[in-house]
Amino acid sequence: MRPQKLVNGDLVEMRPRINLIAHWFGRIILQLTGWTIKCAPFPGDKFVLVGAPHTSNFDFIFLLITSWVLRLKLYWVGKHTLFRPPIGWFSRRLGGIPVDRRASYGAVDQIADRIREAGEIILVIAPAGTRKHTDHWKSGFYWIASKAQVPVVCAALDYDKKLVDVGLNFRPGGDLSADMEAIRTFYQGVKGRFPHKQATIRLREELSP
């Protein structure tokens, strides 16, 4: 499976970023576990990838395996302390991006700047922010993508169908309510490993009077 991207209205294959050993290892794992991948064309080389629902540590594993099969490198955000010696090099090797929450310059702005500076980057975020049930998603993914002027791509991990569905994509910053309604429609019926722990898909901004 070679993922495609849109370039000036044309579909072209994305450049592989993961070696063939990891690719075939990922395919073997999916075959043994019975999982499949459904992947729509990506909107380009830079975007924020939303992974949901997030109810188990296995979620990141399946998303990582998906990236191996698609041969795409994922990046993630971590506290700056995770990037100090002696493990800092390893965190960066795994795609980690350090953020200093003590800085006066906010985390959203720090991450958005990193995305703008990068030639290619797929930043994965679990907007629930926890494996426990909450009544809202954290909105960081939306404002990061909006400030960096890149699309949001949604990936659904459906344990009932054993399917990783990478589909919906849009550019945020216009109508937040319409964007969130599109997200809710995309994830409708998707069941995480522990459905009772799934977060309600809405932002805190939507809860405000």
Side-chain angles (χ1 to χ4, degrees):
M1 176 184 292
R2 291 290 296 274
Q4 296 179 313
K5 63 181 177 181
L6 280 169
V7 179
N8 298 323
D10 297 322
L11 286 175
V12 298
E13 289 189 345
M14 297 187 73
R15 183 166 47 175
R17 290 298 187 182
I18 299 295
N19 62 54
L20 281 171
I21 294 176
H23 166 75
W24 284 106
F25 182 64
R27 290 190 63 171
I28 290 171
I29 293 176
L30 289 185
Q31 186 174 13
L32 291 175
T33 57
W35 279 70
T36 57
I37 299 171
K38 177 183 177 183
C39 185
F42 291 109
D45 293 312
K46 295 203 297 186
F47 52 87
V48 172
L49 180 65
V50 170
H54 181 37
T55 64
S56 166
N57 286 327
F58 282 101
D59 302 335
F60 181 75
I61 294 174
F62 279 118
L63 203 56
L64 183 62
I65 292 171
T66 297
S67 73
W68 293 347
V69 173
L70 299 179
R71 302 189 69 185
L72 301 175
K73 183 175 177 61
L74 299 182
Y75 291 83
W76 50 276
V77 174
K79 293 182 180 179
H80 67 284
T81 53
L82 295 174
F83 298 86
R84 294 173 178 170
I87 65 170
W89 69 272
F90 186 64
S91 296
R92 288 184 172 84
R93 180 74 175 176
L94 291 177
I97 297 175
V99 171
D100 190 348
R101 298 185 182 277
R102 303 169 304 175
S104 57
Y105 196 41
V108 168
D109 292 306
Q110 291 178 55
I111 301 166
D113 282 349
R114 289 294 298 271
I115 294 175
R116 279 193 293 265
E117 294 166 0
E120 299 178 5
I121 185 170
I122 301 173
L123 180 68
V124 60
I125 296 177
T130 177
R131 296 186 301 276
K132 299 178 181 179
H133 173 74
T134 63
D135 67 352
H136 68 281
W137 277 7
K138 294 184 177 180
S139 60
F141 79 94
Y142 190 90
W143 303 121
I144 288 169
S146 179
K147 290 194 173 189
Q149 297 183 333
V150 297
V152 170
V153 176
C154 293
L157 293 91
D158 194 327
Y159 282 76
D160 192 38
K161 298 178 180 177
K162 290 190 174 182
L163 172 68
V164 180
D165 185 1
V166 187
L168 174 69
N169 75 79
F170 63 92
R171 282 190 173 271
D175 188 334
L176 184 145
S177 296
D179 291 341
M180 289 306 300
E181 190 57 38
I183 291 176
R184 282 188 281 269
T185 298
F186 175 74
Y187 284 104
Q188 186 173 6
V190 174
K191 294 183 179 179
R193 189 177 186 206
F194 302 109
H196 64 283
K197 292 184 178 182
Q198 291 181 206
T200 303
I201 303 178
R202 60 184 173 188
L203 303 184
R204 189 184 296 275
E205 289 84 340
E206 295 181 282
L207 295 173
S208 302

